[in-house]
Amino acid sequence: MIDRDGFRPNVGIILSNAERRLFWGRRVGQNAWQFPQGGIKTDESPLEAMYRELEEEVGLRPRQVTVLGSTRGWLRYRLPRRYIRRHCGPICIGQKQVWYMLRVDCAEGDFCLDRSEKPEFDAWRWVRYWYPLREVVYFKRRVYEQALQELAPLLYPEGAPPAAEPDAGAPPQQRREAHRAGYLRRR
């Protein structure tokens, strides 16, 4: 389903743990990491799509998470020209997404990346709040920033999340330490 402006309706899912770290998944067979996301079918609401995608991509069911909130409206990103499939119609130029912030209420062992026939992720880890902004594919960065900014008060009601990891200009030792402290490898 693509709207009249060429955007595919979609949901984005930000999973958080008790330490306020975020789930970061590696796409199958690629060195590309992202939050779970997926299309909304014509017969489902964004919330229904979110729960379906959550089970398909991460293996979690509604009882294993708490929905903390969602973005107020659609957040959009455009695909680079080289990714637009022009040989089929209607042409999709990007995605419009409702983003959900969830708290995980189950054990890490309950995560199952191969619950569906065609898994999206083959590995995952917990990362610091702002880490995804530097690591997600470039054309999704703005929408990730918008979602993280809008949803931050759900995890950090006392104020802004901690600053991002040291930038590329930081001394190498500081970057390595921040990188090691930034996540726990899974699988």
Side-chain angles (χ1 to χ4, degrees):
M1 175 171 80
I2 297 172
D3 72 13
R4 66 180 182 196
D5 297 322
F7 288 91
R8 178 177 174 242
N10 191 284
V11 292
I13 304 169
I14 303 172
L15 290 161
S16 62
N17 67 10
E19 289 80 38
R20 300 191 280 198
R21 300 282 178 128
L22 306 181
F23 173 96
W24 195 230
R26 184 177 68 192
R27 293 183 56 93
V28 170
Q30 302 176 39
N31 188 26
W33 295 74
Q34 68 177 50
F35 292 132
Q37 68 175 57
I40 300 171
K41 295 179 180 178
T42 55
D43 63 337
E44 63 186 359
S45 69
L47 184 64
E48 291 168 332
M50 184 276 296
Y51 281 126
R52 178 181 49 76
E53 290 291 337
L54 180 68
E55 186 167 358
E56 288 175 7
E57 295 189 6
V58 184
L60 298 182
R61 294 190 167 89
R63 71 179 181 280
Q64 295 173 300
V65 297
T66 298
V67 177
L68 301 177
S70 66
T71 54
R72 290 181 295 278
W74 297 106
L75 303 180
R76 291 173 171 76
Y77 71 83
R78 288 180 170 269
L79 293 167
R81 288 181 191 236
R82 68 179 179 265
Y83 294 127
I84 296 174
R85 294 182 218 143
R86 300 197 184 278
H87 58 280
C88 59
I91 294 176
C92 176
I93 64 165
Q95 307 231 22
K96 66 179 186 180
Q97 301 174 309
V98 173
W99 282 85
Y100 289 89
M101 176 69 74
L102 308 179
R103 184 185 65 231
V104 174
D105 296 328
C106 61
E108 289 182 7
D110 293 335
F111 286 65
C112 179
L113 302 182
D114 59 0
R115 178 132 319 150
S116 68
E117 279 185 38
K118 196 170 181 192
E120 291 283 327
F121 302 117
D122 60 12
W124 68 277
R125 62 190 184 211
W126 294 114
V127 298
R128 292 177 190 255
Y129 195 82
W130 298 114
Y131 181 86
L133 294 183
R134 294 199 358 227
E135 299 302 321
V136 71
V137 66
Y138 71 94
F139 59 87
K140 292 183 182 180
R141 283 192 185 130
R142 189 172 69 57
V143 78
Y144 269 51
E145 183 176 14
Q146 290 172 316
L148 288 169
Q149 287 285 354
E150 185 174 340
L151 299 173
L154 300 173
L155 281 187
Y156 295 91
E158 71 280 3
E165 296 176 9
D167 64 21
Q173 180 63 29
Q174 188 178 2
R175 287 197 317 268
R176 280 192 300 276
E177 288 171 10
H179 186 66
R180 275 195 300 273
Y183 60 85
L184 169 67
R185 288 205 178 271
R186 294 288 299 155
R187 293 195 180 258

